Amino acid sequence: MRWPDKVLVREVGPRDGLQYEKAILATDRKIALINGLIGAGVVAIEATSFVHPRAVPQLGDAEKLLEGLAEYGSEVVISALVGNARGMERALAMTHTQLSEVVVVVSASEAHNRANLNRSIDESLAELYEISNMAIGKINVRGAVATALGCPYQGNISFHQVNRVIDGMLAAGIGEITLADTAGMGNPRQVYELVTQLKGIYPGVTWSLHLHDTCGLGMANIVMGILAGISVLESSVGGLGGCPFIPGAAGNVATGETIKLLRKMGIDTGIDLERINQCTRKLSGWLGR
Amino acid sequence: MRWPDKVLVREVGPRDGLQYEKAILATDRKIALINGLIGAGVVAIEATSFVHPRAVPQLGDAEKLLEGLAEYGSEVVISALVGNARGMERALAMTHTQLSEVVVVVSASEAHNRANLNRSIDESLAELYEISNMAIGKINVRGAVATALGCPYQGNISFHQVNRVIDGMLAAGIGEITLADTAGMGNPRQVYELVTQLKGIYPGVTWSLHLHDTCGLGMANIVMGILAGISVLESSVGGLGGCPFIPGAAGNVATGETIKLLRKMGIDTGIDLERINQCTRKLSGWLGR
């Protein structure tokens, strides 16, 4: 049993957490939230999304937000979601800001990919190839495989389905891939086995894990991901980001809970729990919780 | 990574779950609950306690309850908590019923042992020796180490503190020992390391794990316990049994959640989830939840 000394916790609350919130949070408050998170020691934040503002009104202020961020230095990585070539153009126009990375999501489930992105997996992978080419020498591109551990429409996801998307991402030159349990359907054994298998086949890839706590297994899945060699975990401040299709479902694993678990197990994240709790309380107030 | 095919889940709701409930549940309903649990496939139930009725009024009907249970056959083990020699006398007077096992609890924490049992650990171990001698040839005795993974009064519990209680239990001839995370303070790495260490030192002992979900780590702790070789888990129907000193704290790990997790990981418990959910709903109604 090998426990790491250190794990990187990437904060996705400002993007994945906020995107389902109906009440629009003012750009100033989003910036204050990001500043607070960075002040707590967070060094990787998925800050916003370059999707069409009609699709996700909450994130319609991507440019304004990025322009408003302070200069954090090169050790802080600010990333944004990009859905298509138009989104990539918008991202490339922001490289004078702190933005240094984009994320492209493709689902392992054909049904989820169509529901989420309105196109087939093959179409998404072709677009990913195009987007990645646009980025060369300008901005880093990460990949994320949605529904990698189960799909609300299709149920179980086979290793072949995950593998196919990964092959497409690697062909596009991507070096870091997030395995996302979008619907929170994964179990600890499955997480361990999937990560172990992928690490064996693709030893050069950096794997990150994006978990939801929908079924109360978020913490158990984190532990088994870490034991399989995951070194990057994604979490959301306050656990924000429930699935809009499952009322009352718990959302992303919460940042505070994640770093508390890691700290108890002697694993360093460089993040101050008390300051994360302050961010959570402030955000809860703004969202009227 | 070795995953077992099968795990025994012992139900402790009728004893550990109900004992903190102020409203007394009628004996008939307790019997109906136990019958329902056994109908769902449960084969080990901690049914009641032979403590003084003034200390735990809810369990003052121990004899009446045991007399009222149906004959389940030898594959079902009904156990009861015993606190002292007087309790053991009461248990021995009930061996004509389904009762075939008693449990004796000693805390790894001196402060908790005094708060819970009003005596020192040495005094408890001496009494355990006496109780075990009374039981020889008549009834099986299990041991349980309370606060084995952390104490609300003393904080961290050292391996030596746990070990000392275990040595006392083994000297009394006990063959199965439950490690209880009474305050829900344990973390997955700690569970793994404690169980692994104990199994190495005492290969002949059967170890069971009694976990609380106070800090949201119940499921993660179950997984790491299983990977360390635990073959018996304790859980409570509906997660009943919160700590009376921590308002709102989650109680024992819930039976339904436990068997759902195990089933997802391909581990058989022989228990029907839907019938456990029926028991939970019925009990919730009786308790006015």
Side-chain angles (χ1 to χ4, degrees):
Chain A
M1 205 66 69
R2 222 171 355 168
W3 302 90
D5 295 327
K6 211 176 148 54
V7 162
L8 175 69
V9 176
R10 181 185 294 128
E11 174 62 47
V12 300
R15 197 282 298 172
D16 195 30
L18 283 178
Q19 71 179 2
Y20 297 127
E21 291 293 319
K22 285 219 179 81
I24 306 279
L25 194 65
T27 309
D28 282 359
R29 288 186 163 173
K30 291 177 185 170
I31 292 169
L33 173 65
I34 290 171
N35 287 339
L37 291 165
I38 290 170
V42 175
V43 295
I45 301 192
E46 206 170 294
T48 185
S49 171
F50 292 108
V51 291
H52 197 286
R54 256 205 319 273
V56 185
Q58 177 70 265
L59 305 179
D61 61 350
E63 281 83 359
K64 190 178 166 199
L65 172 83
L66 292 168
E67 295 282 4
L69 291 181
E71 286 197 19
Y72 306 117
S74 60
E75 71 276 17
V76 173
V77 176
I78 300 289
S79 56
L81 195 76
V82 152
N84 52 27
R86 173 70 194 111
M88 191 60 181
E89 282 168 12
R90 288 173 62 197
L92 290 175
M94 284 291 123
T95 51
H96 62 284
T97 69
Q98 286 285 296
L99 183 73
S100 62
E101 189 172 79
V102 298
V103 199
V104 183
V105 179
V106 181
S107 186
S109 152
E110 195 68 52
H112 183 264
N113 205 70
R114 285 194 181 277
N116 194 36
L117 304 167
N118 198 27
R119 73 200 78 155
S120 72
I121 291 174
D122 280 341
E123 287 164 342
S124 282
L125 289 174
E127 190 139 28
L128 169 63
Y129 193 84
E130 186 193 345
I131 291 171
S132 299
N133 275 335
M134 292 167 70
I136 290 171
K138 294 172 185 150
I139 198 165
N140 187 40
V141 183
R142 271 195 295 120
V145 186
T147 67
L149 290 144
C151 169
Y153 309 114
Q154 285 193 201
N156 288 344
I157 293 293
S158 70
F159 182 74
H160 169 75
Q161 287 174 287
V162 177
N163 209 31
R164 174 189 168 205
V165 175
I166 289 167
D167 280 338
M169 289 182 168
L170 296 181
I174 284 173
E176 179 179 343
I177 297 175
T178 299
L179 304 168
D181 187 13
T182 313
M185 293 167 67
N187 72 66
R189 182 176 187 168
Q190 184 190 4
V191 168
Y192 182 83
E193 289 174 352
L194 178 64
V195 174
T196 302
Q197 209 170 350
L198 289 173
K199 281 183 78 86
I201 299 175
Y202 308 104
V205 174
T206 298
W207 300 100
S208 44
L209 205 49
H210 175 105
L211 297 169
H212 282 229
D213 207 22
T214 324
C215 300
L217 297 179
M219 295 300 113
N221 288 345
I222 284 178
V223 173
M224 293 314 293
I226 283 172
L227 286 175
I230 284 286
S231 57
V232 185
L233 293 169
E234 294 188 351
S235 66
S236 168
V237 57
L240 212 64
C243 179
F245 310 113
I246 310 171
N252 290 282
V253 290
T255 304
E257 237 190 306
T258 300
I259 62 177
K260 195 156 38 166
L261 165 65
L262 295 172
R263 194 171 65 174
K264 281 182 180 178
M265 300 195 300
I267 299 168
D268 183 36
T269 62
I271 302 174
D272 184 308
L273 179 60
E274 191 35 56
R275 293 185 73 171
I276 288 295
N277 290 342
Q278 285 166 14
C279 292
T280 306
R281 283 192 293 269
K282 198 176 273 186
L283 181 61
S284 299
W286 289 338
L287 298 173
R289 301 275 157 85
Chain B
M1 206 63 72
R2 221 173 355 169
W3 302 90
D5 296 327
K6 210 175 151 54
V7 163
L8 175 70
V9 176
R10 181 185 295 128
E11 174 62 47
V12 299
R15 197 282 298 173
D16 194 30
L18 283 179
Q19 72 180 2
Y20 297 127
E21 291 293 320
K22 286 219 181 81
I24 306 281
L25 194 65
T27 309
D28 282 358
R29 288 186 163 172
K30 291 177 185 170
I31 292 169
L33 173 65
I34 290 171
N35 287 338
L37 292 165
I38 289 171
V42 175
V43 294
I45 300 192
E46 205 170 296
T48 186
S49 173
F50 291 107
V51 291
H52 197 287
R54 255 206 319 271
V56 185
Q58 178 69 264
L59 304 180
D61 60 351
E63 281 83 356
K64 189 177 166 200
L65 173 84
L66 291 168
E67 295 282 4
L69 292 181
E71 286 198 20
Y72 305 119
S74 60
E75 72 276 16
V76 173
V77 176
I78 300 291
S79 55
L81 195 77
V82 154
N84 51 28
R86 172 71 193 112
M88 191 61 181
E89 281 168 14
R90 289 173 61 197
L92 290 175
M94 285 290 122
T95 50
H96 63 285
T97 70
Q98 285 284 296
L99 183 74
S100 61
E101 190 172 78
V102 299
V103 199
V104 183
V105 179
V106 180
S107 186
S109 152
E110 194 68 52
H112 182 264
N113 204 72
R114 283 193 181 277
N116 195 36
L117 304 168
N118 197 27
R119 73 199 79 157
S120 72
I121 291 175
D122 280 340
E123 286 164 343
S124 282
L125 289 175
E127 190 139 28
L128 169 63
Y129 193 85
E130 185 193 347
I131 291 172
S132 299
N133 274 336
M134 292 167 70
I136 291 171
K138 295 173 184 151
I139 198 164
N140 188 40
V141 182
R142 271 195 295 121
V145 186
T147 67
L149 290 143
C151 170
Y153 310 113
Q154 285 193 203
N156 288 344
I157 292 293
S158 70
F159 182 74
H160 168 75
Q161 287 174 285
V162 177
N163 209 31
R164 174 188 167 204
V165 175
I166 289 167
D167 280 338
M169 289 182 169
L170 296 181
I174 284 173
E176 179 179 343
I177 296 175
T178 299
L179 304 167
D181 188 12
T182 313
M185 292 167 69
N187 72 66
R189 181 176 187 168
Q190 185 190 4
V191 168
Y192 183 83
E193 290 173 352
L194 178 63
V195 174
T196 302
Q197 208 170 349
L198 289 174
K199 281 183 78 83
I201 300 175
Y202 307 104
V205 175
T206 298
W207 300 100
S208 44
L209 205 50
H210 175 105
L211 297 168
H212 281 229
D213 206 23
T214 324
C215 299
L217 296 179
M219 295 299 112
N221 287 345
I222 283 178
V223 173
M224 294 314 293
I226 283 172
L227 287 175
I230 284 286
S231 58
V232 184
L233 293 169
E234 293 188 351
S235 66
S236 167
V237 57
L240 212 64
C243 179
F245 310 113
I246 310 171
N252 290 281
V253 291
T255 304
E257 238 191 302
T258 300
I259 62 177
K260 196 157 39 168
L261 165 65
L262 295 172
R263 195 171 66 174
K264 281 183 179 177
M265 300 195 299
I267 300 167
D268 183 36
T269 61
I271 302 174
D272 185 308
L273 179 59
E274 190 36 55
R275 294 186 73 172
I276 289 294
N277 290 341
Q278 286 167 13
C279 292
T280 306
R281 283 191 293 271
K282 197 176 275 188
L283 181 62
S284 299
W286 288 339
L287 297 173
R289 301 276 158 86

